Amino acid sequence: MKPYEINNMIIDDEFDGEEFVTTDFAYQNKDYSITFKKADLEIINTWVFKDGTSLPANLSDNIIELIRGEVKKRI
């Protein structure tokens, strides 16, 4: 079983001349979002949502790689 659950994935085609993929997921009872560049899946930003606000997230390299692999499969 995966330690996370992807809830939503949005592909922004040609936003500001580049394409991005934003993935919303649940991990350890918290909601997160990661935005990658679509071309190479480089991380643009990571957020955790808490009390109606978004804060920069500090995720482990392992969970980031798991999410990146899932995104790669889906696109």
Side-chain angles (χ1 to χ4, degrees):
M1 181 161 183
K2 296 176 186 174
Y4 62 88
E5 181 181 344
I6 292 180
N7 301 320
N8 192 29
M9 194 168 89
I10 300 168
I11 299 173
D12 293 327
D13 293 328
E14 303 209 25
F15 175 76
D16 198 27
E18 294 188 67
E19 295 179 327
F20 298 94
V21 178
T22 300
T23 305
D24 298 329
F25 62 98
Y27 172 65
Q28 294 183 340
N29 297 319
K30 295 181 183 175
D31 293 320
Y32 292 89
S33 179
I34 299 179
T35 300
F36 299 97
K37 281 187 182 179
K38 186 179 175 190
D40 59 7
L41 296 180
E42 174 187 346
I43 295 175
I44 301 301
N45 58 46
T46 59
W47 300 100
V48 60
F49 301 101
K50 183 177 179 182
D51 299 327
T53 63
S54 57
L55 303 167
N58 186 16
L59 293 164
S60 71
D61 290 341
N62 184 52
I63 194 69
I64 290 170
E65 287 306 315
L66 289 171
I67 298 293
R68 183 180 278 131
E70 185 81 18
V71 168
K72 188 175 183 177
K73 287 180 199 175
R74 292 184 182 203
I75 59 173

